[in-house]
Amino acid sequence: QNRYNLRKRTGGAVDSDAAPSEPVIDAASPKKADSSSTDYKSGTNWVHAGGIEANPYLFVLLVVSPFLSLLLAYATGGDIINNDWRVTYPLTEMLPACTSDVSACVSNTLSAGMSVVPTMEGAKFVLTFMTVALVLERFLPGKIEVGPETATGHVPRYVDNGVAHCFVYSVLFFLGSNLGPCGESSEQLLPVLGDVFEKVGVCDLYTPYNFGIMYDVFESSLSFLNIFGIFFCMFLTFKGLCFPSTQDSGSSGSWVKDYLWGTELYPRVFGLDLKRFINCRFSMTYWQLAGFSFCYRSYVLHGNVMDWGLFFSALSQYLYLVKFFFWEMGYMRSIDIIVDRAGYEIQWGCLVWVPAVYTFHSRFLVQHPSGLSYAAALALFVLSMAGVALNYAADRERDVFRATKGQCKVWGSKPRYITAKYTIVDPKTGKATQKTSLLLASGFWGMARHFQYFFELTAAYSWCFLANPMENGVLVMFYALFLTGLLVDRSKRDTEKCQLKYGKYYDEYCELVPYKIVPGIY
């Protein structure tokens, strides 16, 4: 089935066209790619070749990102307390001190970043984390779903087991820790379960780890991920050029662009979809569990005192990512999956940048508690959950529209939409096939083309405010500010893509829905 419906990404994504028509195609047996006959332009799937290197600001960030990720790890570690870095006063103290002695500032910055090095403990944690995710990916059952058809006619297939993965992994992470049934009796959250595990001998099989392990090994594990991610992207570049899984592949003629943007859209190894595994099963699961792990480490570090800002931030982000796994098949229709190839930008980003940046505001609070009262933290939690709920409502609205092929009501009325035509071309035969999609212009999608971004940013800013920037400084706002720039850039890229794909039909759609993210403003 052709379900060409670009969907929204968690933590920064794009939602473009809506419910498509569904012509019959052969999705069960995709053809083997012939790299010698692959046309690079057709393999770019209706986008200008390349990704964020077209944006000079994001490109600079891309170049410095490996070292910057190490600095962000250092800034939230235990060593930061023992030196002169006043991370809670970056503008009033750190910046003036740096400008007054530039050479010392550069030297100290380099020393700080280079001090974040991999260890066996960090590498063991990462590899174990991935192994568990891989086992669940392989063995958890689920319905077979398909993603959007590409410009070369390929239709990706997935086992929809994301929700099962989410909850099973969460339970396993708890059971394996000191809070689980095999921990010290004084630390167990469910001592009754501990008695059962003890009697059947389960606790003789392993030694529980501390629930705060994700904070304890964060610096060394991130450093390992940095190195692993760089070499992994080299492998992906080589694979896409020499052994592509589909015809949506090829070289741009530039080794730099090939490495950054990728050479293949849907790489698979032994049947494993590498993009979904890295983007969802590793990256999103890591983010989901990190908040509560950091919260536990803070609780113990500060004398069993709960930081309500950190607790409610962890809870909100966990629930947000539960929503993500419920909506994972929608993510399989987002720009991350159907447009951006498996290169450094996406794969290294999910391996390293997501753990470093998307958890930064939570990780910061381990050493610098928010100081927020229960009432203040609860109010921000409610605001964040409103953003999450409305974000889901917008996604759900278009899911229903797509599933019913427009035969539904949106906000009590018949929906407005554009019937847009587009063409796919078989790169081997040159045969062109015309197809259609329905572009929804009612409800949330009639207010702005990416109104769901506003709700996502509402949640993101709420999480950062839970870190109390009035006390802890502007650094804790880094994730929300980064996400704002990312989503603005993605909305522009998505517009360019849809104009290339739909032409005059998308122009008509933009006349109906003129604003990109915020109605009446942008």
Side-chain angles (χ1 to χ4, degrees), residues 40-41 43-54 252 257 261 339-341 492-493 495-501:
Y40 181 71
K41 184 177 180 180
T44 59
N45 211 24
W46 294 294
V47 294
H48 297 296
I52 67 173
E53 62 268 19
S252 67
K257 181 173 288 188
W261 193 50
V339 172
D340 291 330
R341 292 183 170 192
K492 292 169 60 179
R493 291 179 56 208
T495 296
E496 294 173 357
K497 176 191 186 301
C498 290
Q499 285 174 335
L500 284 173
K501 181 180 179 181

Side-chain angles (χ1 to χ4, degrees), residues 171-191:
V171 170
L172 291 176
F173 186 73
F174 165 73
L175 292 178
S177 75
N178 63 310
L179 299 183
C182 295
E184 294 291 335
S185 57
S186 60
E187 298 177 332
Q188 292 179 19
L189 292 184
L190 300 172

